[in-house]
Amino acid sequence: MAYSHDSVADIRSESFPDYEARIEDAYIEGYDPASLGAPHSSLHTRKLWFGLGLILAALFGIGLSVWGAAAHIWGTGTQIDLSNRLLVLGLIEVAVTLTLGFVLIASSRKGYKEYRKRTGRVN
């Protein structure tokens, strides 16, 4: 009988199967991990914190647009009238930082959403 590669089994994968160990496999039934200490938490990602920082930075644009709107309504006194420019720049800054912040937060939560789908847990 001739030697054929088709009839040879993959001994390595049959003898030593690769098991993917997950942390939730070791959880006791009914255990609900705390958000901060859980390894699947989004709080461990840099994207989340950078996104939250960008949302906080949107306050600068809000203040700038409020200043521009107030200067447009009540006047600027002896200063050069830049109220429209301040209003537009403030609104642009708000839109850009909020958009980037929410996109970063949504992308940082991808691992947590995958964990929830895989395990069916809510925390």
Side-chain angles (χ1 to χ4, degrees):
M1 186 157 144
Y3 179 74
S4 171
H5 288 288
D6 296 333
S7 63
V8 176
D10 186 7
I11 296 172
R12 176 161 170 71
S13 67
E14 290 177 1
S15 301
F16 305 102
D18 293 330
Y19 294 109
E20 185 179 340
R22 294 189 175 112
I23 190 71
E24 64 266 11
D25 295 337
Y27 287 165
I28 298 171
E29 186 65 33
Y31 172 67
D32 196 18
S35 294
L36 185 58
H40 58 269
S41 175
S42 301
L43 295 174
H44 298 292
T45 62
R46 286 188 173 103
K47 283 183 184 179
L48 179 87
W49 293 106
F50 193 69
L52 290 172
L54 283 175
I55 290 174
L56 187 61
L59 288 174
F60 169 73
I62 292 170
L64 194 62
S65 60
V66 166
W67 183 298
H72 184 71
I73 292 170
W74 287 291
T76 57
T78 60
Q79 298 177 357
I80 300 172
D81 188 21
L82 298 174
S83 60
N84 289 334
R85 190 175 296 172
L86 289 176
L87 179 63
V88 170
L89 288 175
L91 292 176
I92 290 172
E93 195 272 340
V94 168
V96 168
T97 55
L98 285 180
T99 303
L100 284 175
F102 284 123
V103 165
L104 283 173
I105 289 173
S107 69
S108 72
R109 307 255 314 149
K110 184 178 73 169
Y112 175 68
K113 289 177 183 177
E114 191 272 330
Y115 164 80
R116 284 183 59 182
K117 180 190 267 187
R118 186 178 68 235
T119 62
R121 293 177 180 262
V122 293
N123 189 6

